[in-house]
Every structure is written in structure tokens, then in C-alpha cells.
């Protein structure tokens, strides 16, 4: 006798998935990170920008390069580069998202490369925190961000899950590629053309998720 499948676990990215961080919020973050590198490494702006890009390409994140090559304190870096006293004026999201998350069946968690204080601030302004069951941020990922396989695997272990009945909803293809390798169902939120083979569902807006989620009709959730 087969046991009933477990409820779906939804892993939601935050920036540019549940709200539009491009261009306003991301532009501010990028400027703050460049200024941090300028100040703490004594570089001019062009050199600081080049170093940030080099670390992004080599380590997958500016922070990892700064930690490994310059012993930068990650707590200080994240606090200094994610200050948004005017976040409410920058935040752009669809109000029906609250109802979507409230009615979506299963367990819902945020998985973000951003720091916890920023994620909490965004969720509070969006008014969706009460519909979430857990929050995973760069701190709980031990400062090893997505798309690292180890970080996603650690999150699944904390949730006592493998890949079956787990759906990752993302705007970032690299993160979805890792998710697919771990056996997750992948949902790409994007208006870009095409759909890579490792993407199960492509949506222009996360709000379209509702039509795929009812009783999992037409939604390819993987079940072991």
C-alpha cells in the first residue's frame, strides 16, 4: 500500500519573483555594494566595480569574494549594503499576491540570498508574512548563496524533504537549474523568450500560479 503524497512545499524567491526589485531596489543595492568596496578596500569607483564583477563571476557572489580574499565581516557588509529607510516608496508588487499565498495549498517558504533584516522589512510592507511557514536567508545558508547545491540541499534537509512534491518559484535560471538537479519542480517567472529544458512551468507573473495549483491539475509536481 502506498502512502498518500505529502503536501507541496513551495520555495519562493523574493526579489524579482514576488516583487519587482528591478530597477529601483537592485540599483540601490549595487551602488551600496560598490561604495562599500570603495570605502573598505580603498579603491576608486571603476576598480571597485570591476572587482565586484570579478568576484561575482569567480565566487558566485560579491560577498563570498570579500570574505575569502579580504576577511570582510559578512554581518557588517549585509547591514551596510541593505539599508532602505524609504523602502515603501521603492517597493512594487501586485496586491492580489496576498490572496494567492493565502489560498495556495501546501507549505510556503521564502528562500532569498538577501539578509534577514531586509527580507523581514519587505515582507512586512507587502503584508504576506502571515501566509508563510518559514524564511531562509543568506544567514541560514551560512553565507553560501543560491545557486549553490549545498545550500538548497541544507534547506530541504531542514524541511525533511527530498525533491518530490517540492516546487521552486524563481526568476533566476541558475537557481532553477540547481533545483532541477535535486529533483524539484521548477517554475520560472519571466517575460524573456524561450523556456530551457530544466524549467517545468514558465509564468509571466507569479499571480498566474493560481491556475496551475488547484489540485495540481496541469501542474507537473514530481512525486516519488
Amino acid at each position: 500500500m502506498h502512502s498518500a503524497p505529502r503536501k507541496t512545499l513551495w520555495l519562493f524567491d523574493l526579489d524579482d519573483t514576488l516583487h519587482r526589485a528591478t530597477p529601483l531596489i537592485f540599483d540601490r543595492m549595487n551602488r551600496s555594494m560598490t561604495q562599500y568596496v570603495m570605502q573598505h578596500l580603498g579603491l576608486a569607483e571603476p576598480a571597485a566595480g570591476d572587482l565586484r564583477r570579478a568576484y561575482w563571476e569567480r565566487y558566485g557572489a560579491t560577498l563570498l569574494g570579500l570574505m575569502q580574499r579580504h576577511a570582510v565581516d559578512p554581518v557588517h557588509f549585509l547591514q551596510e549594503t541593505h539599508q532602505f529607510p524609504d523602502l515603501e516608496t521603492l517597493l512594487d508588487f501586485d496586491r492580489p499576491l496576498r490572496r494567492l499565498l493565502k489560498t495556495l495549498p501546501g507549505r510556503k517558504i521564502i528562500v532569498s540570498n538577501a539578509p534577514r533584516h531586509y527580507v523581514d522589512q519587505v515582507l512586512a510592507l507587502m503584508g504576506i508574512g502571515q501566509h508563510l511557514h518559514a524564511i531562509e536567508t543568506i544567514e541560514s545558508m551560512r553565507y553560501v548563496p543560491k545557486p549553490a547545491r549545498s545550500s538548497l540541499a541544507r534547506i530541504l534537509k531542514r524541511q525533511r524533504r527530498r525533491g518530490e512534491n517540492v516546487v521552486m518559484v524563481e526568476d533566476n535560471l541558475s537557481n532553477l537549474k540547481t533545483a532541477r538537479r535535486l529533483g524539484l519542480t521548477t517554475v520560472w517567472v519571466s517575460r524573456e523568450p524561450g523556456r530551457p529544458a530544466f524549467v517545468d512551468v514558465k509564468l509571466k507573473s507569479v499571480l498566474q500560479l493560481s491556475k496551475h495549483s488547484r489540485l495540481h491539475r496541469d501542474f507537473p509536481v514530481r512525486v516519488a
Side-chain angles (χ1 to χ4, degrees):
M1 179 182 235
H2 294 287
S3 60
R6 302 177 69 180
K7 290 183 178 181
T8 301
L9 172 65
W10 301 88
L11 308 181
F12 285 100
D13 176 51
L14 182 61
D15 295 333
D16 272 354
T17 298
L18 296 187
H19 73 98
R20 289 170 283 276
T22 302
L24 298 179
I25 293 176
F26 277 164
D27 282 354
R28 179 84 64 83
M29 284 184 189
N30 287 332
R31 290 198 303 271
S32 295
M33 289 183 187
T34 298
Q35 289 170 0
Y36 187 97
V37 172
M38 292 170 60
Q39 179 179 352
H40 291 273
L41 300 185
L43 298 176
E45 185 170 355
D50 290 343
L51 187 67
R52 280 194 57 216
R53 284 187 288 272
Y55 285 169
W56 181 270
E57 293 174 1
R58 179 171 181 179
Y59 298 101
T62 297
L63 174 58
L64 285 183
L66 293 175
M67 290 171 63
Q68 295 189 28
R69 301 294 295 273
H70 307 280
V72 164
D73 176 11
V75 175
H76 186 261
F77 173 84
L78 293 167
Q79 188 66 39
E80 292 293 309
T81 58
H82 289 75
Q83 293 290 337
F84 293 94
D86 57 344
L87 183 59
E88 188 170 6
T89 66
L90 305 175
L91 199 57
D92 180 16
F93 71 99
D94 299 311
R95 269 54 184 179
L97 177 65
R98 297 167 183 165
R99 177 169 177 77
L100 170 68
L101 293 176
K102 180 180 180 180
T103 58
L104 190 68
R107 183 174 173 83
K108 293 146 280 192
I109 72 174
I110 293 292
V111 181
S112 173
N113 283 343
R116 183 61 186 256
H117 75 271
Y118 165 79
V119 171
D120 284 345
Q121 187 181 7
V122 171
L123 296 179
L125 289 172
M126 294 174 71
I128 62 174
Q130 66 269 33
H131 305 309
L132 302 169
H133 297 86
I135 299 172
E136 297 280 356
T137 63
I138 192 66
E139 293 95 340
S140 62
M141 287 187 271
R142 302 179 184 177
Y143 303 107
V144 180
K146 300 177 293 183
R149 183 188 180 103
S150 60
S151 294
L152 187 53
R154 191 176 296 116
I155 290 169
L156 293 176
K157 185 176 181 180
R158 278 197 285 270
Q159 295 294 322
R160 299 181 180 179
R161 293 296 192 98
R162 296 184 184 276
E164 65 273 10
N165 274 4
V166 181
V167 183
M168 174 168 268
V169 184
E170 270 272 2
D171 70 293
N172 186 289
L173 286 176
S174 296
N175 299 339
L176 290 175
K177 185 178 291 188
T178 298
R180 167 55 75 82
R181 288 171 179 165
L182 288 170
L184 279 62
T185 297
T186 53
V187 177
W188 185 29
V189 180
S190 175
R191 294 182 177 274
E192 295 182 20
R195 178 171 70 86
F198 56 84
V199 171
D200 292 306
V201 175
K202 180 184 175 186
L203 307 175
K204 291 182 178 179
S205 165
V206 71
L207 295 181
Q208 294 178 311
L209 197 61
S210 59
K211 70 179 182 179
H212 290 280
S213 65
R214 299 187 188 283
L215 302 178
H216 303 315
R217 291 172 184 170
D218 302 323
F219 197 85
V221 174
R222 304 181 190 285
V223 179

